[in-house]
């Protein structure tokens, strides 16, 4: 311990996008108009049906503690969701309702891996994967991916890590690139993990937010994976802090014990709202159509503003841009872009510690009018 701070706390770096959000909010507090392309959340509120269910629950229920694994009606509804979307028959007892996907990753890592375990993931990738692992005394292992591989892990890349891995995290659609793995690729990665005695963890929180083809769940190819999803993205319920995981039977009771001690239970009000959100498909699909319009608008407009090396996303609501021809310091570049053009974006170092100094991420989760304004401002920005 140094200065009263644990080594564990000191090794975890900041999540830089949150710093960008803070800077953007400060500008807005001064009366300046900021176009938010940094934040990875829908600009819409929770579905109307979810809001109505929450109001009704407040009137009728005392909103106390509930089962650590989630209220049974929600676990059953999530299981039915897998039958409807993926054709997978799922025992509701394998469903664990969590305080957002963040708690799901925490529980998954604690239940599946021991301290010192090496867990692989694609780089670029979602930074809390590696940071949560590091905080728990585990070892994140980056698989350096390229645009040619759609920034997704492959079996040959897994082979090149040299072994000794306890797990692999696959995100499809991914953050920050919005790329996806096919069913055959998911099956190959699953088989490779099984042969190595590794645990596959499939991050599926952007399922539903896809533009050309649906996302493939790891449950379609294996029963051994830990699958993590959330109500934050497709269901537009970020601040409600509710997600879920599907786990192999052997992990249900260990995760229940961990949840009982670390978290008690997931917020009850959010569970009632989430249950109703499954019946709001028409409203939610309208959001997806808007995201697709926004994506296409940025893909057409950003190259004219000098951002001409973009990875085409097939899911989520992000564009990953290679800006090596514009800067070698993405943090400073995003700081200047915010200050001078009023457009907030996320530096790539959040997602790729080795190469992120020359990349950045644009979120297109905002309104179409804001995306049009972002293109206009960046086109006229004198760098």
């Amino acid at each position: 311990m140094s200065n009263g701070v644990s080594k564990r706390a000191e090794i975890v770096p900041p999540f830089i996008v949150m710093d960008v959000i803070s800077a953007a909010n400060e500008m807005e507090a001064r009366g300046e108009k900021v176009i938010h392309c940094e934040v990875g959340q829908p600009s819409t509120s929770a579905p109307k049906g979810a809001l109505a269910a929450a109001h009704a629950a407040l009137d009728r229920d005392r909103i106390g503690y509930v089962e650590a694994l989630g209220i049974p009606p929600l676990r059953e509804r999530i299981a039915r969701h897998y039958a409807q979307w993926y054709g997978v028959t799922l025992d509701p007892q394998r469903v664990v309702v969590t305080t957002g996907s963040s708690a799901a990753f925490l529980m998954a890592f604690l239940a599946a891996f021991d301290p010192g375990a090496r867990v692989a993931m694609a780089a670029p990738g979602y930074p809390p994967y590696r940071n949560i692992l590091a905080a728990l005394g585990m070892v994140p292992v980056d698989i350096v991916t390229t645009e040619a591989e759609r920034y997704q892990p492959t079996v040959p890349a897994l082979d090149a890590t040299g072994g000794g891995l306890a797990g692999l995290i696959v995100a499809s659609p991914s953050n920050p690139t919005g790329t996806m793995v096919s069913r055959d690729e998911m099956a190959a990665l699953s088989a490779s993990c099984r042969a190595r005695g590794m645990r596959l963890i499939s991050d599926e929180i952007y399922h539903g937010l896809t533009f050309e083809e649906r996302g493939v769940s790891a449950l379609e190819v294996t029963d051994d994976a830990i699958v993590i999803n959330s109500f934050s993205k497709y269901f537009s319920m970020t601040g409600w802090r509710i997600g879920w995981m599907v786990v192999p039977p052997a992990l249900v009771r260990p995760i229940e014990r961990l949840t009982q001690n670390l978290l008690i239970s997931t917020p009850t009000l959010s569970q009632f709202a989430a249950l109703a959100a499954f019946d709001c498909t028409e409203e939610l699909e309208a959001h997806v159509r808007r995201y697709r319009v926004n994506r296409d608008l940025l893909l057409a407009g950003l190259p004219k503003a000098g951002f001409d090396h973009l990875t085409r996303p097939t899911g989520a609501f992000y564009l990953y841009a290679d800006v090596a021809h514009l800067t070698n310091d993405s943090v400073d570049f995003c700081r200047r872009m915010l200050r001078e053009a009023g457009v907030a974006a996320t530096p790539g170092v959040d997602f790729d510690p080795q190469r992120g100094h020359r990349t950045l991420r644009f979120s297109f989760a905002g309104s179409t009018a804001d995306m049009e304004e972002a293109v206009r401002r960046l086109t006229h920005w004198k760098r």
Side-chain angles (χ1 to χ4, degrees):
M1 182 180 294
S2 174
N3 299 322
V5 179
S6 72
K7 292 181 180 179
R8 176 181 291 111
E10 288 187 329
I11 65 172
V12 176
F15 193 3
I16 295 175
V17 67
M18 304 309 295
D19 295 336
V20 176
I21 292 170
S22 294
N25 290 342
E26 288 175 6
M27 288 180 62
E28 288 182 318
R30 297 195 298 267
E32 301 177 57
K33 169 64 176 176
V34 173
I35 305 300
H36 289 276
C37 292
E38 85 284 18
V39 63
Q41 72 170 345
S43 56
T44 49
S45 69
K48 293 182 177 63
L51 294 173
H55 283 291
L58 285 171
D59 290 336
R60 73 167 188 268
D61 196 281
R62 63 188 178 93
I63 313 298
Y65 292 137
V66 293
E67 298 90 335
L69 296 179
I71 60 174
L74 182 54
R75 297 172 73 193
E76 292 163 5
R77 184 62 185 86
I78 290 170
R80 183 151 52 96
H81 172 75
Y82 281 90
Q84 293 172 336
W85 277 38
Y86 308 104
V88 171
T89 300
L90 179 63
D91 181 354
Q93 297 304 308
R94 293 176 55 195
V95 176
V96 180
V97 181
T98 61
T99 307
S101 62
S102 299
F105 285 111
L106 178 63
M107 295 297 106
F109 297 162
L110 284 170
F113 307 125
D114 291 317
R118 301 174 70 246
V119 181
M121 67 212 69
Y126 182 54
Y129 298 151
R130 66 174 68 87
N131 296 339
I132 295 171
L133 287 165
L136 295 176
M138 299 162 192
V139 182
V141 178
D142 281 345
I143 297 176
V144 178
T145 61
T146 67
E147 191 173 18
E149 301 151 340
R150 305 186 319 284
Y151 296 110
Q152 290 288 352
T154 63
V155 172
L158 197 58
D159 291 339
T161 61
L165 296 174
L168 170 67
I169 303 169
V170 176
S172 175
S174 74
N175 175 10
T177 64
T179 63
M180 299 164 64
V181 298
S182 68
R183 185 187 179 99
D184 287 347
E185 289 166 336
M186 183 70 81
L189 288 168
S190 173
S192 182
C193 287
R194 189 180 307 112
R196 296 163 172 264
M198 295 167 53
R199 179 71 70 183
L200 173 63
I201 298 178
S202 181
D203 178 349
E204 302 178 4
I205 73 170
Y206 291 98
H207 276 216
L209 298 180
T210 57
F211 308 118
E212 274 84 39
E213 57 189 39
R214 70 172 183 84
V216 175
S217 175
L219 295 176
E220 297 178 58
V221 300
T222 180
D223 280 332
D224 297 330
I226 296 174
V227 169
I228 293 175
N229 209 319
S230 172
F231 288 92
S232 289
K233 308 302 182 179
Y234 175 75
F235 293 96
S236 192
M237 296 177 67
T238 50
W240 296 76
R241 305 314 302 133
I242 182 161
W244 77 85
M245 58 199 305
V246 179
V247 302
L251 290 181
V252 173
R253 181 57 177 162
I255 288 174
E256 183 176 29
R257 295 196 306 267
L258 287 164
T259 301
Q260 289 169 339
N261 284 280
L262 297 180
L263 303 171
I264 308 296
S265 63
T266 298
T268 306
L269 184 64
S270 297
Q271 296 194 55
F272 288 132
L275 179 59
F278 280 110
D279 297 323
C280 301
T281 303
E282 183 176 348
E283 182 179 349
L284 298 172
E285 287 299 316
H287 299 334
V288 178
R289 290 192 291 272
R290 175 169 58 84
Y291 297 143
R292 180 168 186 162
V293 169
N294 290 357
R295 179 199 66 166
D296 293 346
L297 190 158
L298 291 185
L299 284 172
L302 285 177
K304 299 174 185 176
F307 300 90
D308 54 6
H309 193 164
L310 303 169
T311 298
R312 181 182 178 85
T314 51
F317 35 53
Y318 306 115
L319 283 178
Y320 201 55
D322 185 333
V323 291
H325 61 299
L326 300 174
T327 185
N328 195 43
D329 184 346
S330 61
V331 174
D332 178 69
F333 185 85
C334 286
R335 187 181 296 119
R336 289 192 295 107
M337 188 167 69
L338 175 60
R339 184 176 63 248
E340 298 168 12
V343 177
T346 307
V349 291
D350 240 357
F351 313 103
D352 190 338
Q354 296 181 50
R355 302 169 296 169
H357 57 282
R358 53 182 176 84
T359 61
L360 57 85
R361 185 195 74 179
F362 290 100
S363 167
F364 50 86
S367 69
T368 299
D370 275 356
M371 298 305 105
E372 292 171 341
E373 178 64 10
V375 169
R376 188 193 70 78
R377 290 187 181 196
L378 293 176
T379 301
H380 291 94
W381 180 33
K382 305 300 182 183
R383 291 185 287 274

